[in-house]
Amino acid sequence: MRLTQQPGTRRAATAVGALALPVGRRPAIAATAAGALAFLALPAPAFAAGGGEPAGGAATGEVVGATLGALAVTTLLALVIAGHRSGRIRWLGRLAGFSERVSGLPAWAALPSSVLGVSLLTAVLGMYWDISLHIDNGRDPGPLANPAHYLILIGLYGALFAGVLSMVLARERPSPTAVNLGGGIWAPAGALIIVACGAFALTGFPLDDLWHRLFGQDVTLWGPTHLMLIGGGSLATLGAMALMAEAVGGVGARAMREPTVVHQARRAMLVGGFLVALSTFQGEFDFGVPQFRLVLHPVLLMLAAGVGLVTARLYLGRGGALYAVLGFVLIRGFLALMVGVVWGETTPHFPLYIVEALMVEAVFWRAADRSPVATGAIAGVLIGTIGLAAEWGWSHVWMPVPWPSALLPEAAIAGLLAAVAGGALGGFVGGTLAPRRTTHGRRILLGRAERLGALAGALVLVGILVWGVPVSGSGPDSATVALRDASTGGGRAVNATIRIRPAAAAEDADFLTVTAWQGGGMVLDHLERIGPGLYRTTQPIPVHGGWKATIRLEKGDELVGVPIYMPEDRAIPKPEVPATAHFTRAFEPDRKLLQRERKEGVSGSLWAIAYSTVLVVVIALAVLLAWILLRLEAGGPRGRSRARRSPAAEPELV
């Protein structure tokens, strides 16, 4: 399988026509929608790294400018909120009232959930655009020179504001699960999740700049501060589901007034967004530039399927897992269209989850009154076997790096464990959002064994990741490369014949590729074997300008590479690695080649402090989320009497 994407004509006009929607009668709304579509259809900036881009944090002027901008927006929103609370501003109340009348949901859930949905879609669009820009073009001339950063920042800020807005609109105690913050302010539990996750994600922005100053730039999606941005935004979708659950079951809730089609679409997009959020952590594999072991791809995919699909099935009832897949495909299809077609960057690929959803529906169809955690774990068994096999086949249809048989049996075992643990965790999450009830309407709370089962599932997932993340820099000794110029009409490109020593070192590799990127596009070429230890490229490899071209080999936990061509980089500084007609170079750790910007000689204690700080924040967020979910499950503060177990009708919340 080959993936080649280089600069081409942007199909802006076609995409605008395809995405055009009815915008109503008001000229202002029409102008706003047209302006948004026009912005989205703009070509991506064609900047390729030339060696002078900053590699250790933003310039002081940009930091000051970004800080002042954030303060200005925060002040403006604070004035709007204060004006609404005092009665001086009435338009916000009218807008919330309109949203309430249309949806049938209380204002404190109707308007914030809409704001959150638009914000998170904006943020995830910016995230995938940002990744593709870095893959194709390398470092930014500066953080404010990357348009994707604005979408991420606006989206995450909007998510935080949505949580605050829910608190502001809840004049009285909105639901039994709401928390009294004092001063007459009640915070719905879902709003607390949204605010906590939004603040967690936004904290990643200044920490990311500090991280670059201390350690240099890391181009991996899985950098600690990058995971804060992604994880915080992703988990905010859980807050949206909690907020909607409170709205339907809380004080003052009304029957849904939306047309059936609109209501069903809202359901699909809500749980589909949660599945999209869980799948963002697969990003490096979706783009074909994995910097960790390939075995983690099926593990992460099974984790997302187990948690996301089981939660969706419990949350929505019958068909919930299928709704999640529908929403997932619609959202990820839109992202692929925008990034790969409209903006002409490297296209993000994605799994399907269809077979996994069918397995979940089948298990829950026969679940009767079985524990949601136990049922989720049983569904995980089918997800981790039949579902894993289906995704294995799909990886050979569309994924940039297909899963080879060399991953067996590790991928099968780890994938099954991840699916079962994820299913149990999804059973816990879904059980708290949609608790079972007796025939008299009393809640059946999760028992001690169920909570411990979910905790065990979470620990198993942590253990799998701890096992799968470390990579070894050992591998073959060297590669002897012969290059022949190829005629492409746009800068120097070469075909390569590669001899690896020892010859058996690359046999049964997880992948053996030549990857060229950051020169204005990306080329991913899976090498063709022509003899023992002898391989050749199947398409021209660019070796000019800002392109970086490397041979990449993964086998087990070994992930190593050999540079074919590297440009001079004055900001690091690093010299050019020329693409001569014939050379022999030693294999070295892959991370050293792909992350040339990382600073060398940084003390181990500084790394330990940095990682420990991020870990403490992550644990604090996880504890907070667990507490809020248990509060939701209990229908209020913990400690209320528990209902006895008895058969219950399936919940149908949203």
Side-chain angles (χ1 to χ4, degrees):
M1 179 179 180
R2 296 175 296 178
L3 174 66
T4 305
Q5 287 197 268
Q6 299 187 43
T9 303
R10 310 292 202 259
R11 300 174 178 86
T14 302
V16 170
L19 294 173
L21 297 172
V23 295
R25 298 179 180 178
R26 296 180 181 272
I29 298 177
T32 301
L37 289 172
F39 170 77
L40 292 177
L42 288 174
F47 57 85
E53 295 76 18
T60 303
E62 291 185 318
V63 173
V64 172
T67 303
L68 292 177
L71 289 175
V73 173
T74 302
T75 302
L76 177 62
L77 294 178
L79 291 174
V80 170
I81 290 171
H84 171 75
R85 298 286 291 187
S86 65
R88 295 192 306 271
I89 292 178
R90 300 184 181 277
W91 60 264
L92 182 58
R94 289 195 293 268
L95 183 60
F98 171 77
S99 182
E100 179 176 342
R101 290 191 300 274
V102 170
S103 67
L105 294 170
W108 53 266
L111 182 59
S113 64
S114 298
V115 172
L116 181 66
V118 173
S119 298
L120 291 180
L121 182 60
T122 301
V124 75
L125 177 60
M127 185 198 92
Y128 280 99
W129 190 15
D130 184 54
I131 295 172
S132 68
L133 284 173
H134 285 296
I135 288 174
D136 291 350
N137 302 313
R139 297 196 307 271
D140 304 318
L144 300 183
N146 184 334
H149 288 179
Y150 293 94
L151 294 183
I152 298 172
L153 185 58
I154 292 170
L156 294 179
Y157 207 96
L160 176 64
F161 176 69
V164 174
L165 182 62
S166 178
M167 301 176 188
V168 170
L169 294 175
R171 290 282 187 169
E172 299 176 354
R173 186 172 189 174
S175 70
T177 53
V179 178
N180 189 350
L181 300 182
I185 299 177
W186 286 92
L192 280 178
I193 294 178
I194 296 168
V195 169
C197 292
F200 178 76
L202 286 171
T203 303
F205 271 98
L207 288 181
D208 189 53
D209 186 72
L210 178 61
W211 194 276
H212 293 334
R213 292 178 187 278
L214 292 175
F215 307 116
Q217 289 207 359
D218 48 348
V219 296
T220 174
L221 181 72
W222 291 358
T225 52
H226 296 168
L227 289 178
M228 289 183 66
L229 291 164
I230 296 168
S234 298
L235 290 174
T237 58
L238 183 61
M241 297 170 69
L243 191 66
M244 296 293 286
E246 287 181 284
V248 173
V251 176
R254 300 176 176 86
M256 301 291 291
R257 295 196 184 115
E258 295 175 321
T260 302
V261 174
V262 176
H263 179 49
Q264 300 293 65
R266 180 192 286 268
R267 289 155 57 92
M269 299 307 286
L270 183 62
V271 292
F274 184 53
L275 188 56
V276 168
L278 293 170
S279 301
T280 54
F281 301 100
Q282 304 164 21
E284 291 198 342
F285 302 103
D286 293 345
F287 281 97
V289 195
Q291 298 183 53
F292 293 85
R293 296 176 60 189
L294 186 59
V295 72
L296 287 175
H297 192 191
V299 165
L300 292 173
L301 201 154
M302 293 295 99
L303 166 61
V307 176
L309 296 176
V310 170
T311 298
R313 179 57 174 79
L314 287 165
Y315 185 69
L316 296 186
R318 291 187 184 93
L322 295 174
Y323 276 124
V325 171
L326 174 61
F328 172 84
V329 172
L330 288 175
I331 295 171
R332 288 300 302 266
F334 168 73
L335 297 177
L337 174 67
M338 290 301 303
V339 174
V341 178
V342 176
W343 290 326
E345 305 293 339
T346 295
T347 301
H349 298 66
F350 53 87
L352 290 182
Y353 294 121
I354 294 175
V355 173
E356 295 93 310
L358 292 173
M359 296 300 101
V360 171
E361 293 291 337
V363 170
F364 275 87
W365 178 59
R366 301 296 300 272
D369 61 342
R370 191 187 298 124
S371 158
V373 174
T375 307
I378 294 171
V381 174
L382 297 184
I383 291 173
T385 51
I386 301 174
L388 181 63
E391 295 297 344
W392 203 296
W394 177 247
S395 77
H396 288 266
V397 175
W398 198 46
M399 300 305 289
V401 183
W403 302 347
S405 59
L407 286 181
L408 296 173
E410 288 184 327
I413 297 172
L416 175 60
L417 290 175
V420 173
L425 191 57
F428 169 79
V429 175
T432 58
L433 294 177
R436 297 159 291 169
R437 297 179 183 273
T438 67
T439 54
H440 301 290
R442 295 183 63 194
R443 290 173 180 257
I444 303 176
L445 303 189
L446 295 172
R448 177 182 177 85
E450 292 170 303
R451 296 196 302 273
L452 290 176
L455 178 60
L459 294 176
V460 168
L461 292 173
V462 171
I464 293 173
L465 294 177
V466 169
W467 162 78
V469 166
V471 295
S472 169
S474 62
D477 296 331
S478 64
T480 298
V481 181
L483 302 180
R484 305 179 311 280
D485 286 351
S487 177
T488 61
R492 187 187 177 205
V494 297
N495 295 310
T497 301
I498 302 163
R499 181 174 294 280
I500 295 176
R501 293 187 176 85
E507 298 293 334
D508 297 322
D510 296 336
F511 65 78
L512 177 59
T513 66
V514 168
T515 299
W517 66 337
Q518 297 187 349
M522 177 182 172
V523 175
L524 176 60
D525 185 37
H526 292 266
L527 298 182
E528 177 185 6
R529 184 179 184 274
I530 56 177
L534 190 61
Y535 303 85
R536 66 184 175 197
T537 56
T538 63
Q539 60 182 312
I541 307 299
V543 288
H544 64 273
W547 286 93
K548 300 174 183 176
T550 66
I551 304 167
R552 305 188 67 213
L553 169 65
E554 183 195 301
K555 185 175 181 180
D557 65 348
E558 300 174 356
L559 187 53
V560 293
V562 169
I564 294 177
Y565 171 76
M566 294 281 181
E568 179 187 10
D569 195 326
R570 299 183 299 276
I572 304 178
K574 289 289 178 65
E576 176 186 0
V577 178
T580 55
H582 191 277
F583 60 84
T584 297
R585 291 172 183 155
F587 276 91
E588 50 189 312
D590 182 69
R591 186 179 65 180
K592 184 177 179 181
L593 298 175
L594 294 191
Q595 300 184 38
R596 294 180 87 198
E597 294 86 352
R598 287 186 59 160
K599 293 182 179 179
E600 299 178 358
V602 179
S603 67
S605 59
L606 187 58
W607 280 104
I609 293 172
Y611 276 104
S612 299
T613 301
V614 174
L615 180 62
V616 168
V617 177
V618 170
I619 293 175
L621 179 63
V623 171
L624 176 63
L625 292 180
W627 174 76
I628 296 175
L629 288 174
L630 289 172
R631 184 183 181 91
L632 282 166
E633 180 230 1
R638 299 293 296 176
R640 295 187 176 186
S641 60
R642 293 178 175 272
R644 294 182 179 180
R645 294 184 180 279
S646 65
E650 279 192 323
E652 191 78 25
L653 280 184
V654 181

